Amino acid sequence: MTNEEWDQLKDELLRSVGASNFKNWIEPLEYSGVSEGIAVFHVPTSFMGNYVSQNFGDRVLYQINLVDPDVRRVQFQVPANAPRKPVSAAPKPKQAAPDQPRVEDDFLIPAAPLDQRFKFDSFVVGKPNELAHAAAKRVAEGGPVTFNPLFLYGGVGLGKTHLMHAIAWELQQQQPDLNVVYLSAEQFMYRFVQALRDRRMMDFKQMFRSVDVLMVDDVQFIAGKESTQEEFFHTFNALVDQNKQIIISADRAPVDIKNLEERIKSRLQCGLVVDLHPTDYELRLGILQTKVERHREQYPELDMADGVLEFLAHRISTNVRVLEGALTRLFAFASLVKQEVTLELAQDCLADVLRASERKISIEEIQRRVAEHYNIRLSEMIGPKRLRNFARPRQVAMYLCKQMTSRSLPEIGRRFGGRDHTTVMHGVKRIEELRNQDAQIAEDLEILRRTLES
Ligand code: ADP
Ligand code: MG
């Protein structure tokens, strides 16, 4: 298929998908050519690629086959050499005089580009992330280094990368001369391997040691990779000795990273270690409300029914990335079918996401968590002993089973060592009473509910 043929085809597609779809989804496609029976189109984002493929792929293929029957498939992809965002965190080669020819050398730019969207003003603060946010803010002020490193950890999609980029943006704005380098641990490793291969370890060392602020994302990646760890350790120490700020993220606490050398673990713990907790309902709702504003600008014609955001905040997982993706899809879909964003539409369009996030909490899980919380054995919780040390946690677990699962009282009783349903009922009642009288119990319940829900 030639470019001209594609242009003519587009007129057909305009008629078949309608003007608004055409403008949103077909027009931005950039035809790149046919190779081995696959017609390839370039798209600006992978979201768009997926969307077009799912919703218009067949129609596009059908039209193409009218002019070129040899095409078997259409593919929508983000071009490999898509223009990268400005490499804003590239270290400036300070030692090089300005009139010296710049070496066009990828090697000297270890920093990854910063995402425009990841700034402090777009970061929604709630209970689960307020400490991490406060620590990040403090580091971004760029005052004297008080804790080194700042170690941020937490599960996927909870905002670690967002906070790190935000710090880099802020520092760069306040102190443009500062040499701020952000990169993932994976990129650190590639650079290191490259330096080894090209026999440029001196350059590598010098480059990293001339950094003012070093941020390494997802450091768990270097676990088990011995020589990379070794080099990381030296870089780390050299910078700390010079009193340069280091910011590290990982998906878990330093002590919990397996196959990471002890001396590195202990070094990582020297500064401030803060975790991002799984999002709670309030934070999710807050994030959704902020993001909706942005979608509203993009789709000003769309109305949104009450309760949709609350529904999403309740039903979608703690991972903010999943939450965002769901919202984007919902709006794109609503605009496509030209309907108000309603609960039904959300359920329809997000069925797969909702299903995936549906977390059924099991009785075992509750028993295990409660036993952990009260520091007793699982067998003690289920067993026959009536000691108060065991009885109270047992009742708490029964109460949570009643609240958080759809199991009946007899069923719960059976799973607690074959107890009678009246025993369960009594336990549940007791905890209900205590909950209002005993602040400790109330707090325990809250903590347990949260960990179970996350
Ligand atoms: P992580 O690095 O912890 O896996 P990211 O920082 O990449 O997570 O965050 C995933 C997505 O969720 C990003 O688009 C980010 O902007 C968004 N996000 C996470 N937490 C927040 C928050 N508190 N406020 C706004 N957006 C958030
Ligand atoms: Mg990340």
Side-chain angles (χ1 to χ4, degrees):
M1 180 173 68
T2 63
N3 280 319
E4 289 71 43
E5 281 171 330
W6 166 243
D7 282 339
Q8 284 162 13
L9 255 168
K10 281 210 275 198
D11 295 341
E12 289 301 318
L13 282 166
L14 169 62
R15 268 191 287 281
S16 102
V17 301
S20 142
N21 280 336
F22 182 81
K23 187 163 160 292
N24 286 330
W25 306 106
I26 305 294
E27 203 159 41
L29 298 177
E30 226 179 89
Y31 176 54
S32 130
V34 178
S35 137
E36 295 178 347
I38 302 172
V40 178
F41 294 88
H42 287 165
V43 285
T45 64
S46 58
F47 168 74
M48 177 165 174
N50 289 336
Y51 196 86
V52 176
S53 169
Q54 271 172 26
N55 294 283
F56 306 109
D58 290 342
R59 229 172 303 188
V60 172
L61 181 61
Y62 171 78
Q63 292 290 346
I64 292 178
N65 280 157
L66 295 179
V67 299
D68 187 346
D70 292 337
V71 173
R72 285 174 291 110
R73 228 147 52 75
V74 282
Q75 205 171 62
F76 305 94
Q77 63 187 30
V78 182
N81 56 352
R84 297 216 301 177
K85 286 172 199 118
V87 181
S88 28
K92 293 148 198 105
K94 279 179 186 159
Q95 53 281 60
D99 54 358
Q100 270 177 359
R102 275 275 172 80
V103 194
E104 266 307 313
D105 191 347
D106 203 27
F107 187 86
L108 294 173
I109 310 171
L114 298 176
D115 194 311
Q116 286 284 349
R117 296 164 308 162
F118 294 175
K119 299 194 175 168
F120 278 117
D121 57 12
S122 60
F123 191 83
V124 182
V125 185
K127 259 233 140 49
N129 61 22
E130 63 182 346
L131 258 175
H133 174 261
K137 268 285 200 194
R138 167 62 66 80
V139 169
E141 283 169 10
V145 176
T146 45
F147 31 78
N148 215 3
L150 168 61
F151 189 99
L152 297 169
Y153 77 93
V156 209
L158 297 183
K160 301 181 293 293
T161 300
H162 189 137
L163 278 180
M164 290 177 102
H165 285 213
I167 296 172
W169 283 118
E170 186 85 10
L171 282 171
Q172 237 149 38
Q173 203 195 343
Q174 305 295 336
Q175 308 174 52
D177 286 336
L178 210 62
N179 193 352
V180 181
V181 168
Y182 165 88
L183 80 175
S184 67
E186 193 176 359
Q187 286 161 331
F188 180 87
M189 188 189 78
Y190 286 138
R191 294 295 169 192
F192 171 62
V193 171
Q194 195 181 4
L196 279 178
R197 194 191 54 208
D198 300 347
R199 297 173 194 282
R200 296 183 60 180
M201 273 316 291
M202 284 314 291
D203 289 344
F204 179 90
K205 284 181 191 291
Q206 198 186 348
M207 176 177 73
F208 274 101
R209 284 160 182 58
S210 67
V211 159
D212 293 317
V213 176
L214 178 66
M215 306 194 187
V216 182
D217 207 350
D218 289 318
V219 80
Q220 75 277 356
F221 181 84
I222 63 167
K225 311 205 164 62
E226 279 159 33
S227 37
T228 304
Q229 276 186 42
E230 178 80 24
E231 189 54 39
F232 175 75
F233 184 67
H234 293 316
T235 306
F236 185 99
N237 288 339
L239 289 174
V240 169
D241 287 346
Q242 295 176 59
N243 217 11
K244 301 290 174 61
Q245 180 73 57
I246 298 179
I247 302 148
I248 306 280
S249 87
D251 64 351
R252 62 199 71 182
V255 283
D256 295 329
I257 306 180
K258 292 206 184 69
N259 299 321
L260 191 66
E261 274 184 62
E262 281 309 319
R263 54 178 188 164
I264 300 188
K265 280 188 195 177
S266 66
R267 266 293 190 164
L268 289 176
Q269 287 172 85
C270 282
L272 180 66
V273 179
V274 269
D275 57 341
L276 289 130
H277 296 277
T279 58
D280 57 12
Y281 170 76
E282 289 79 13
L283 179 57
R284 287 198 289 277
L285 190 60
I287 291 173
L288 284 169
Q289 281 161 346
T290 322
K291 309 261 166 192
V292 156
E293 294 307 314
R294 219 169 315 137
H295 286 295
R296 281 253 168 84
E297 285 164 21
Q298 197 186 347
Y299 304 103
E301 75 282 3
L302 278 188
D303 287 325
M304 181 145 170
D306 289 340
V308 175
L309 293 185
E310 288 77 3
F311 171 76
L312 296 179
H314 258 303
R315 290 287 304 276
I316 295 188
S317 89
T318 65
N319 181 335
V320 182
R321 200 173 295 131
V322 175
L323 202 62
E324 280 180 344
L327 198 66
T328 307
R329 182 150 126 207
L330 185 57
F331 270 85
F333 188 76
S335 127
L336 203 64
V337 295
K338 298 200 175 55
Q339 274 184 28
E340 185 189 9
V341 179
T342 60
L343 217 56
E344 292 75 48
L345 192 82
Q347 279 165 331
D348 225 35
C349 148
L350 301 174
D352 54 338
V353 186
L354 292 169
R355 222 175 305 119
S357 312
E358 205 168 81
R359 273 243 309 124
K360 291 226 171 64
I361 297 166
S362 68
I363 292 182
E364 285 78 37
E365 211 175 335
I366 295 177
Q367 290 172 330
R368 196 168 42 78
R369 290 288 179 131
V370 174
E372 265 169 28
H373 182 82
Y374 289 106
N375 227 342
I376 61 172
R377 296 220 175 85
L378 197 57
S379 56
E380 291 167 337
M381 159 160 295
I382 299 167
K385 292 223 178 85
R386 289 175 184 229
L387 291 177
R388 197 179 153 139
N389 282 357
F390 306 147
R392 190 65 83 228
R394 189 180 295 142
Q395 289 176 330
V396 165
M398 287 174 172
Y399 171 85
L400 287 170
C401 289
K402 183 78 196 89
Q403 295 281 313
M404 303 184 77
T405 73
S406 52
R407 305 296 167 151
S408 66
L409 294 177
E411 250 183 302
I412 296 173
R414 258 201 307 283
R415 306 285 278 280
F416 279 82
R419 287 181 160 78
D420 193 68
H421 79 275
T422 52
T423 312
V424 181
M425 197 156 64
H426 172 76
V428 172
K429 277 231 183 77
R430 185 76 192 114
I431 298 299
E432 260 163 14
E433 286 162 15
L434 282 176
R435 184 183 193 154
N436 298 321
Q437 301 158 6
D438 185 334
Q440 184 59 51
I441 290 271
E443 197 190 315
D444 289 350
L445 289 173
E446 180 58 23
I447 293 172
L448 283 163
R449 191 184 55 79
R450 251 192 227 175
T451 43
L452 283 162
E453 268 177 357
S454 68

